[in-house]
Amino acid sequence: ADVAVLGAGFTGLWTAYYLLRNEPSLRVVVLEGEIAGFGASGRNGAWCGPGFPVTPGELARRYGREAARELMLEMHNTVGEVGRVVEVETIDARYFRGGLMRVARGSSQLPGLLATHEAYRALGLEDDYRMLGAEETSRRVRTTGARAALYSPHCATVHPARLVRGL
């Protein structure tokens, strides 16, 4: 069978990768008008994180607690899967899993941070999202006025163009 993938950004390249991994006999061609990663995929901010454009609380409201929890866990797994693939395929994407901190730099930012932490706790993800006090936050990152931070180990950085070329 033949498969054509339109676009050599991350979506197209990961699609081709998993198609071939799951069915090596496929003939897959990736079509791109420029070069692989020409657009945002090759020039992004280097973040490989579990972000989703809808908050955990809103996901739970719309789809229920279990669906929201499962989605967040899959988003966490995705960060590790990128690391696994770059290791197995020996892609020099400079993958580094250092975690993510969302820092409250004043009293006005603290309620939002606490609400986000509570939304994760309500999904049973308290082991994945930890509140850090001002002192621990300051030990981890030097920033003026840090009051607290929300930390998660589920975030990495990559060199986006190297990852695109490797895929």
Side-chain angles (χ1 to χ4, degrees):
D2 296 331
V3 176
V5 176
L6 303 179
F10 283 133
T11 301
L13 294 171
W14 283 112
T15 299
Y17 176 82
Y18 285 108
L19 283 170
L20 289 168
R21 184 174 147 222
N22 294 329
E23 186 53 59
S25 65
L26 283 176
R27 289 185 350 168
V28 176
V29 62
V30 179
L31 303 170
E32 172 59 53
E34 297 289 337
I35 61 169
F38 175 79
S41 293
R43 298 182 256 163
N44 68 40
W47 295 108
C48 177
F52 196 77
V54 178
T55 67
E58 182 61 19
L59 285 170
R61 188 188 69 73
R62 288 184 193 177
Y63 306 108
R65 180 185 183 274
E66 283 309 307
R69 177 182 163 74
E70 290 302 315
L71 175 64
M72 295 311 301
L73 290 172
E74 283 306 312
M75 296 299 286
H76 296 165
N77 292 339
T78 300
V79 175
E81 177 65 3
V82 171
R84 186 195 70 75
V85 170
V86 299
E87 184 176 331
V88 167
E89 302 295 343
T90 61
I91 298 171
D92 181 18
R94 311 243 171 101
Y95 178 91
F96 175 73
R97 189 168 178 163
L100 171 71
M101 285 179 57
R102 182 174 158 197
V103 178
R105 292 189 54 222
S107 57
S108 64
Q109 295 176 341
L110 203 49
L113 200 64
L114 293 169
T116 300
H117 181 252
E118 176 56 29
Y120 285 122
R121 193 200 60 71
L123 294 178
L125 299 172
E126 56 273 357
D127 292 339
D128 296 294
Y129 294 87
R130 236 175 13 101
M131 283 299 298
L132 309 178
E135 187 177 312
E136 188 174 358
T137 299
S138 292
R139 278 197 308 269
R140 290 175 177 249
V141 64
R142 302 275 187 247
T143 186
T144 305
R147 302 281 300 269
L150 183 61
Y151 171 77
S152 173
H154 303 292
C155 190
T157 55
V158 295
H159 188 296
R162 287 172 175 263
L163 180 56
V164 162
R165 298 300 183 275
L167 288 172

